[in-house]
Amino acid sequence: VSDAEFTVYPNPARDMIMIEHHAIHHGNVQMNITDSQGKVVWSRDFNEPGSSNLQRFDIASQSSILHGVYFVSVISEHGVETKPIVIIK
């Protein structure tokens, strides 16, 4: 089990996505959403070790987020986990 374990839903998504990470270590956790060309379109940092964090990302309000495949990454000092998500607009 990765220290950067997380779930992202719904997939595919239209208006919003939920990202829930389960940080089980002490340290900083960063969440990124990148497009298919590797451009970061959203990023957040968290400093709450040992906690479960649920983040809502409002796709509808982001003009830079278009129809297509994006990648959600959770990055910690112990690893990176990345999952694809399909955005339908």
Side-chain angles (χ1 to χ4, degrees):
V1 176
S2 168
D3 282 342
E5 183 179 331
F6 73 100
T7 54
V8 58
Y9 56 90
N11 193 5
R14 182 175 307 275
D15 299 320
M16 63 91 191
I17 61 172
M18 303 299 285
I19 305 167
E20 184 175 10
H21 78 84
H22 311 281
I24 58 173
H25 67 282
H26 297 284
N28 193 38
V29 174
Q30 181 179 23
M31 291 184 193
N32 292 334
I33 298 176
T34 56
D35 64 17
S36 60
Q37 297 177 359
K39 179 183 175 187
V40 176
V41 296
W42 181 81
S43 184
R44 288 268 167 85
D45 289 316
F46 299 93
N47 293 306
E48 299 177 16
S51 65
S52 176
N53 291 290
L54 181 64
Q55 296 298 313
R56 181 175 192 258
F57 178 66
D58 186 4
I59 296 165
S61 68
Q62 302 292 318
S63 61
S64 63
I65 305 287
L66 304 173
H67 181 87
V69 177
Y70 290 81
F71 299 92
V72 179
S73 298
V74 173
I75 304 155
S76 76
E77 61 192 48
H78 298 285
V80 177
E81 187 171 348
T82 301
K83 296 182 180 182
I85 188 155
V86 176
I87 304 299
I88 301 171
K89 279 195 163 184

